[in-house]
Amino acid sequence: MHERCVIITGANSGIGKAAAIQFASKGYTVIMACRNLEISKTAQTEIIKTANNRNVHLMEVDMSSFHSIRSFCTHFINKFEKADILIHNAAYFNHGEKYQLSPDQIELTFATNVFGPFLMTALLLDPLKKSDDARILFAGSNIIKHFFNEKTEIHFDNLQGEYKDSRSHRVYKMYCQSKMALLLLTFKLAEEYQEDGIKVNILQINGAKMSKQTINKVKPWWRPIAMVQNLFFPPAAYIANNYYEICTSDEFLQTSGKLINDKLEIMQPAPNEKLGLYKQLKQIIGSTVYPIYAENLEVKEQLWELCKKLTDHKL
Ligand SMILES: NC(=O)c1ccc[n+]([C@@H]2O[C@H](COP(=O)([O-])OP(=O)(O)OC[C@H]3O[C@@H](n4cnc5c(N)ncnc54)[C@H](OP(=O)(O)O)[C@@H]3O)[C@@H](O)[C@H]2O)c1
């Protein structure tokens, strides 16, 4: 068995699967953390064959369910000594207006994309501490550019169904807010884990070609848009290579608490000043700066407290 072990959530398709192939090809022990074992078994077989590495293990986890995450982590700890790399790649993305609750009665997008990853990270602290170079990576998105509009904020008051019948709801907006929350969570986790030498970063993904299966998961009216987007997006393997570089290369050995763009450059907070239209457009289109909202300490602490409260985990 390769002495370095990587856990990749959502490794059965898209970027996660491409990353599993890349890590396995380089001899890593790969844990595919997936919710649908039947579909994922086919992917596992393909990854083992393509990478010529039998150390590709499939383990069940539904990232929207705290019970399932606890069970995954218990099984992982019983079976494997340590975790070197944890890649939070799985995410719920869709459109529509239906407010859905997770098994723990939390808005589904946030449960899957934010609170689930928080809990998994917290529960895997001991195996991560056993690594001499532990790295955690979150899959971010350039969708956070909506926060360049200073009226955009995370709506913390409706994450447990408080206004599910009385307030308009957009799944797309929740996805956008969840990716901003992940950026704030990355900053906070990097601070918390600094003493343990665990590095925590987030990659800003501007797009990656989606497979037919991925496109079929979203609303039918959005599928043609996704197909057109696909013409311009890089292959999933390109982003997977970014995962690999951030989690393995010497260049990122000491990097923690950073948002990294698809050219593997570290992004900076946008200047806190009013800009002209041209500069605003440049900010939105470019990938050098992120919205200043992510630097809001109050929001970061609010998110942190909520993560601990909802998952009932002290950290
Ligand atoms: N592709 C892009 O253009 C793009 C752009 C920006 C950011 N990203 C981010 O990149 C990451 C990978 O996306 P992708 O494009 O590769 O999409 P994808 O092919 O749809 O992959 C998403 C993965 O997440 C899994 N997943 C979803 N909900 C889950 C749950 N509750 N429990 C466990 N696994 C779950 C899916 O499993 P199932 O197969 O069972 O559904 C799938 O394996 C995501 O975090 C996404 O937000 C992608």
Side-chain angles (χ1 to χ4, degrees):
M1 205 177 281
H2 193 280
E3 63 179 53
R4 282 184 71 73
C5 168
V6 54
I7 301 169
I8 307 172
T9 64
N12 58 294
S13 81
I15 304 167
K17 181 177 163 193
I21 291 173
Q22 179 152 0
F23 278 95
S25 301
K26 303 281 183 188
Y28 280 74
T29 294
V30 176
I31 315 300
M32 300 171 63
C34 303
R35 64 174 161 181
N36 186 327
L37 288 190
E38 214 180 296
I39 294 174
S40 304
K41 258 191 192 130
T42 313
Q44 181 195 22
T45 309
E46 192 189 323
I47 295 163
I48 289 173
K49 205 171 152 205
T50 311
N52 193 22
N53 178 350
R54 298 205 66 77
N55 285 319
V56 177
H57 306 263
L58 178 59
M59 290 178 66
E60 187 174 8
V61 68
D62 176 351
M63 289 304 293
S64 72
S65 154
F66 297 156
H67 171 75
S68 174
I69 291 167
R70 287 201 175 90
S71 160
F72 169 89
C73 292
T74 305
H75 283 118
F76 176 83
I77 290 166
N78 287 340
K79 194 166 173 190
F80 299 90
E81 202 183 309
K82 68 174 168 89
D84 298 286
I85 300 167
L86 171 59
I87 303 181
H88 289 294
N89 164 78
Y92 174 65
F93 167 77
N94 214 327
H95 289 83
E97 291 165 18
K98 194 170 169 218
Y99 190 111
Q100 290 184 80
L101 287 166
S102 73
D104 304 283
Q105 303 303 300
I106 296 167
E107 192 282 322
L108 187 63
T109 326
F110 262 74
T112 313
N113 299 1
V114 183
F115 300 121
F118 165 84
L119 181 62
M120 181 184 264
T121 307
L123 293 174
L124 293 177
L125 181 57
D126 281 340
L128 284 163
K129 272 190 192 170
K130 287 189 181 139
S131 171
D132 56 4
D133 175 18
R135 305 193 199 187
I136 299 170
L137 181 65
F138 288 98
S141 169
N142 66 347
I143 199 169
I144 60 164
K145 66 187 172 204
H146 287 284
F147 282 82
F148 281 122
N149 175 350
E150 47 197 44
K151 286 190 189 132
T152 310
E153 56 186 10
I154 298 173
H155 294 141
F156 286 104
D157 63 346
N158 194 22
L159 293 179
Q160 293 175 275
E162 292 90 333
Y163 300 102
K164 75 180 171 67
D165 300 319
S166 55
R167 203 187 264 178
S168 76
H169 181 75
R170 295 255 186 289
V171 181
Y172 177 80
K173 278 193 180 169
M174 295 316 287
Y175 175 74
C176 169
Q177 291 178 30
S178 74
K179 291 293 182 182
M180 174 51 83
L182 272 189
L183 179 53
L184 287 148
L185 189 60
T186 300
F187 293 155
K188 182 68 182 173
L189 280 168
E191 288 162 20
E192 292 287 320
Y193 284 181
Q194 192 180 9
E195 259 183 35
D196 298 310
I198 301 169
K199 279 83 60 172
V200 191
N201 293 297
I202 177 164
L203 172 69
Q204 175 161 302
I205 301 168
N206 296 343
K209 278 199 202 314
M210 289 161 273
S211 65
K212 234 190 219 162
Q213 297 94 307
T214 301
I215 292 177
N216 280 339
K217 282 183 223 166
V218 296
K219 298 271 174 215
W221 57 263
W222 192 76
R223 288 176 200 160
I225 302 171
M227 285 176 205
V228 173
Q229 282 184 325
N230 256 357
L231 298 174
F232 303 97
F233 283 164
Y238 175 83
I239 308 296
N241 186 57
N242 283 348
Y243 284 4
Y244 186 79
E245 287 298 317
I246 295 168
C247 293
T248 66
S249 75
D250 284 349
E251 191 189 340
F252 292 101
L253 185 63
Q254 305 297 344
T255 306
S256 192
K258 300 293 180 197
L259 175 63
I260 300 164
N261 70 19
D262 60 351
K263 292 187 191 125
L264 295 178
E265 299 158 339
I266 291 172
M267 296 176 68
Q268 304 296 334
N272 197 4
E273 60 190 45
K274 279 257 170 271
L275 296 177
L277 190 62
Y278 174 71
K279 282 193 175 164
Q280 278 183 46
L281 274 175
K282 236 177 119 185
Q283 263 189 357
I284 294 168
I285 296 164
S287 290
T288 54
V289 294
Y290 57 81
I292 195 76
Y293 183 88
E295 296 287 303
N296 187 319
L297 299 182
E298 236 172 78
V299 179
K300 187 170 70 173
E301 289 312 314
Q302 192 179 1
L303 174 70
W304 186 245
E305 290 309 315
L306 196 59
C307 281
K308 290 192 290 184
K309 187 179 133 204
L310 293 183
T311 60
D312 199 18
H313 198 92
K314 307 285 175 288
L315 206 90

